Amino acid sequence: MSIWVIFTLLGSLALLMYGMKSMSEALQKMAGPQLRHVLGAMTTNRFTGMLTGMLVTASVQSSTATTVMTVSFVNAGLLTLAQAISVIMGANIGTTLTAWIMSAGMSFDVGSLAYPAFLVGIILIYQKRYRYIGDFLFGLAFLIFALATLRATGQSMHLGENQSVLAFFASFDPDSFLTTLIFLLLGGILTFCVQSSAAVMAITMILCSSGALPIYQGIALVMGENIGTTVTSNLAAMSANTQARRAALAHMFFNVFGVVWILFVFRPFIDMVCGWVGYDVDMTTETAGAEAFMANAAKLSFVLAAFHTSFNVANTFILIWFIPQIERFVCWVIKPKKVDEEEDFRLHFITAGFMKTPELSVLEAQKEIQQFSNRMQRMFGMVRELLTLSSSSNKKSGQDGEFNKLYTRIEKYEGISDNMELEIANYLNSVSDAHLSDDTKAKIRAMLREVSELESIGDACFNMARTISRKYNTKEDHFVEKQYDHLHQMMELTDQSLSQMNRLMGGRKEAFDVNRTFNIENEINNYRNQLKSQNINDVNNREYTYAVGTIYMDLINECEKLGDYVVNVVEARMGLRQKDA
């Protein structure tokens, strides 16, 4: 075997993997949001969940993308873990379509179809309206070209006539259970190393269809691929949140359980699949002649695809009745980390190592921003509580310690808001480096504006807390009762605006009445102007000192600024004043 043949083989595998990736990303750009809506709407029970996972995976040609979407929905509270497990089961069936595409490419000369696909694809890529279809056609053309090259290379290698290759595989006892385990382990290791079950499936098809690798060892490799691909997702999910790790473990359990039971009926099951395809398991070169043997071996790529589908369908049919038990098992194995959610600096939804699909990463960021928004309202609630503690009428024994403890907590929240802004912005910037649809680019721009304004809300809250603390620790003049009443009234209006903002962040913007936010903002502005005029009169009338009046108006003005930041967040989410950005 020459060095150029090896390079051709490896290059074709690389082209195959790239073509699959390009096709998947193009399809997700075309239908990403719609697929998310379908996934959320069609998982009412375990059977519709399984069908949804199957259809979505077959559509985007990526079980990873489906798993990522599913985990996102679990984190968002739109799907239970049980529903997610049913979707993952369906994804395992949907991903077998890839094997059928590859088996067709290995069995027929489809290389000539690649060139028209390249031509049409490049024309569409330069037309903005149809460029995603062009990207898809380019990916498909690469896939077809890679399969044709692999087929031609496999035939030119004459593996079925290479005595050293035949002797190597013949050294394994075909009737030994140990041989099956060795090839099972080999398939898992290869898949883990190349990070692509499609590439290992292509190698298996070349070896089998050339007559070099017996069918039983070939199918053992395929079973190993099923486990190898779940090891990758479990390792990737190790740094992710609890639900992501549980979903990845459920995926691994599903595949490992399937491999275990199939080993008990290994030969009969394979013989049954071979019978469906019309492959003669017992045919040899000596009994039928070289030509008939090679014609029979050419069916092996279809046998592998048929086994892959039959195995996943049968496994799903068995396990779909035990989804509650699987859910309890993965929850028992992976327990949530015991952290104080209030003081937890980590992001909850963004899991950069686990997310592989830029278009779908936006959903994770949206959930993180919603968490950020809720946290800012909790921070403002602490500021209101701090103001209440600072009131001289609420003085009690040991209050200084309680006041300082709450102030320290607000200070920690300010640090959290800074960290969240930076981490979310960095994540969105890394996502924006990928090829994205125009809608997704616009969403990312809006989301970057949202996190900036939310961090400003945190700054405003901390500024108020520092002002209140400075006033509390002077131990001199205090706000009069009327000032406290006005401050609480202003803070109530500000809290209403924050509640409106969080209602928008947690729901669909189509159902949100943005005028309510604008009306509250007008109330805040009018009330600030009213209090400003009244403060001048009260200082002139010596109801309190000028210094107290200054601190009082600092708090009022900070509330008004905070209201402006809220309006900016709402406008960014609604797409207002951002259309031309």
Side-chain angles (χ1 to χ4, degrees):
M1 189 187 297
S2 71
I3 189 70
W4 293 114
V5 173
I6 294 173
F7 276 130
T8 303
L9 190 65
L10 294 177
S12 300
L13 288 172
L15 202 57
L16 174 76
M17 292 161 65
Y18 179 75
M20 295 282 297
K21 182 175 180 288
S22 298
M23 281 174 60
S24 177
E25 288 182 354
L27 284 163
Q28 288 166 52
K29 287 175 190 175
M30 286 190 283
Q34 289 77 7
L35 288 174
R36 290 202 293 271
H37 294 153
V38 166
L39 199 60
M42 289 182 61
T43 50
T44 52
N45 59 57
R46 65 185 76 182
F47 297 104
T48 56
M50 183 266 293
L51 287 170
T52 304
M54 184 174 70
L55 292 172
V56 170
T57 305
S59 299
V60 299
Q61 284 292 291
S62 172
S63 57
T64 300
T66 306
T67 304
V68 165
M69 280 192 286
T70 305
V71 172
S72 302
F73 271 72
V74 173
N75 288 336
L78 301 176
L79 288 181
T80 64
L81 183 59
Q83 289 172 318
I85 292 169
S86 69
V87 173
I88 289 169
M89 287 180 177
N92 265 34
I93 298 174
T95 196
T96 62
L97 178 63
T98 305
W100 286 103
I101 293 171
M102 291 170 64
S103 65
M106 291 290 181
S107 303
F108 306 108
D109 185 8
V110 292
S112 56
L113 297 176
Y115 300 104
F118 276 128
L119 177 61
V120 176
I122 197 67
I123 292 171
L124 294 177
I125 283 171
Y126 283 102
Q127 295 186 29
K128 188 174 181 181
R129 184 176 176 184
Y130 300 110
R131 68 182 182 278
Y132 301 133
I133 300 174
D135 288 339
F136 169 76
L137 285 175
F138 239 63
L140 180 62
F142 278 130
L143 174 66
I144 292 170
F145 187 73
L147 287 172
T149 308
L150 282 170
R151 178 174 182 269
T153 307
Q155 289 175 344
S156 67
M157 290 161 66
H158 302 292
L159 292 174
E161 300 166 15
N162 189 314
Q163 292 305 314
S164 59
V165 174
L166 291 172
F168 172 76
F169 289 120
S171 65
F172 295 95
D173 182 2
D175 298 319
S176 171
F177 183 68
L178 180 61
T179 298
T180 302
L181 291 180
I182 290 171
F183 278 86
L184 181 72
L185 182 63
L186 184 61
I189 292 171
L190 279 173
T191 304
F192 175 72
C193 290
V194 302
Q195 297 282 295
S196 171
S197 57
V200 181
M201 176 68 84
I203 294 169
T204 308
M205 285 182 174
I206 289 172
L207 289 170
C208 286
S209 58
S210 65
L213 180 64
I215 183 60
Y216 298 112
Q217 283 92 314
I219 283 180
L221 280 175
V222 172
M223 289 161 57
E225 292 159 22
N226 271 348
I227 296 177
T229 192
T230 63
V231 172
T232 304
S233 62
N234 272 271
L235 288 176
M238 282 178 68
S239 62
N241 53 52
T242 302
Q243 294 289 37
R245 288 183 290 126
R246 285 172 175 170
L249 180 62
H251 192 196
M252 175 177 270
F253 174 84
F254 175 84
N255 283 8
V256 170
F257 178 85
V259 167
V260 169
W261 72 256
I262 206 75
L263 287 173
F264 287 99
V265 291
F266 190 60
R267 295 270 173 155
F269 193 90
I270 295 173
D271 291 344
M272 178 183 69
V273 174
C274 289
W276 291 343
V277 177
Y279 172 75
D280 187 350
V281 181
D282 301 316
M283 184 182 292
T284 63
T285 311
E286 292 76 18
T287 59
E291 189 176 339
F293 175 76
M294 293 307 296
N296 190 48
K299 298 176 184 176
L300 278 175
S301 58
F302 285 108
V303 173
L304 291 171
F307 170 81
H308 199 206
T309 303
S310 303
F311 165 71
N312 281 296
V313 169
N315 201 27
T316 299
F317 181 77
I318 293 169
L319 288 179
I320 200 167
W321 310 101
F322 299 99
I323 286 177
Q325 288 77 13
I326 296 172
E327 180 184 23
R328 284 200 292 272
F329 171 73
V330 296
C331 290
W332 174 73
V333 174
I334 299 177
K335 294 180 172 62
K337 295 177 182 176
K338 293 182 180 179
V339 292
D340 183 357
E341 188 274 334
E342 295 284 341
E343 315 301 339
D344 184 12
F345 279 77
R346 293 182 311 103
L347 299 181
H348 291 268
F349 300 101
I350 288 175
T351 50
F354 190 60
M355 301 297 291
K356 294 183 179 179
T357 315
E359 287 283 331
L360 303 175
S361 301
V362 175
L363 180 66
E364 296 297 286
Q366 282 177 342
K367 293 308 300 178
E368 203 63 69
I369 293 172
Q370 183 186 341
Q371 180 85 355
F372 191 3
S373 177
N374 287 327
R375 187 167 255 158
M376 290 303 94
Q377 186 166 15
R378 285 200 298 273
M379 184 179 181
F380 184 71
M382 293 177 207
V383 174
R384 296 181 72 181
E385 188 180 344
L386 195 73
L387 178 66
T388 302
L389 285 174
S390 72
S391 171
S392 57
S393 62
N394 288 331
K395 281 281 186 182
K396 58 184 180 182
S397 176
Q399 182 175 300
D400 284 357
E402 189 178 346
F403 182 93
N404 291 332
K405 184 179 178 182
L406 183 59
Y407 177 78
T408 302
R409 196 172 176 210
I410 293 171
E411 191 173 30
K412 183 176 279 190
Y413 257 63
E414 206 278 331
I416 290 174
S417 73
D418 289 344
N419 280 326
M420 290 189 78
E421 181 201 16
L422 284 174
E423 289 191 40
I424 296 172
N426 288 338
Y427 180 77
L428 288 171
N429 283 328
S430 67
V431 171
S432 65
D433 288 338
H435 298 292
L436 301 168
S437 64
D438 290 340
D439 286 346
T440 305
K441 287 176 184 175
K443 280 181 186 175
I444 288 176
R445 287 195 298 270
M447 289 160 77
L448 286 168
R449 185 186 177 199
E450 288 167 23
V451 294
S452 174
E453 299 294 345
L454 285 169
E455 194 275 333
S456 296
I457 290 174
D459 288 344
C461 289
F462 186 52
N463 288 339
M464 282 188 272
R466 280 192 301 187
T467 302
I468 294 168
S469 177
R470 187 170 70 249
K471 178 73 184 68
Y472 180 80
N473 290 319
T474 58
K475 308 289 184 182
E476 295 175 2
D477 292 337
H478 293 283
F479 292 141
V480 298
E481 200 63 37
K482 180 170 67 172
Q483 285 177 307
Y484 277 112
D485 290 342
H486 292 159
L487 282 168
H488 285 305
Q489 179 63 30
M490 175 62 95
M491 286 187 171
E492 176 59 30
L493 284 171
T494 308
D495 193 60
Q496 286 177 24
S497 70
L498 286 165
S499 296
Q500 285 293 309
M501 176 185 75
N502 281 319
R503 187 172 293 118
L504 170 63
M505 303 302 269
R508 294 180 66 84
K509 64 182 182 182
E510 293 82 4
F512 182 74
D513 182 10
V514 72
N515 290 322
R516 175 66 180 142
T517 296
F518 293 149
N519 290 340
I520 295 173
E521 170 63 9
N522 286 332
E523 286 185 59
I524 291 172
N525 289 341
N526 292 335
Y527 196 46
R528 188 273 312 265
N529 294 337
Q530 177 190 330
L531 294 178
K532 187 176 180 180
S533 299
Q534 189 174 341
N535 177 62
I536 295 171
N537 293 331
D538 289 342
V539 170
N540 289 335
N541 294 333
R542 301 185 183 280
E543 292 190 26
Y544 44 81
T545 64
Y546 179 82
V548 170
T550 300
I551 295 173
Y552 165 67
M553 283 311 300
D554 282 346
L555 291 173
I556 295 295
N557 286 326
E558 208 64 57
C559 281
E560 192 275 331
K561 282 184 193 174
L562 197 153
D564 289 340
Y565 300 140
V566 168
V567 170
N568 291 342
V569 172
V570 170
E571 286 178 344
R573 177 52 64 96
M574 296 294 291
L576 303 175
R577 300 182 191 174
Q578 286 289 100
K579 293 177 182 176
D580 298 325

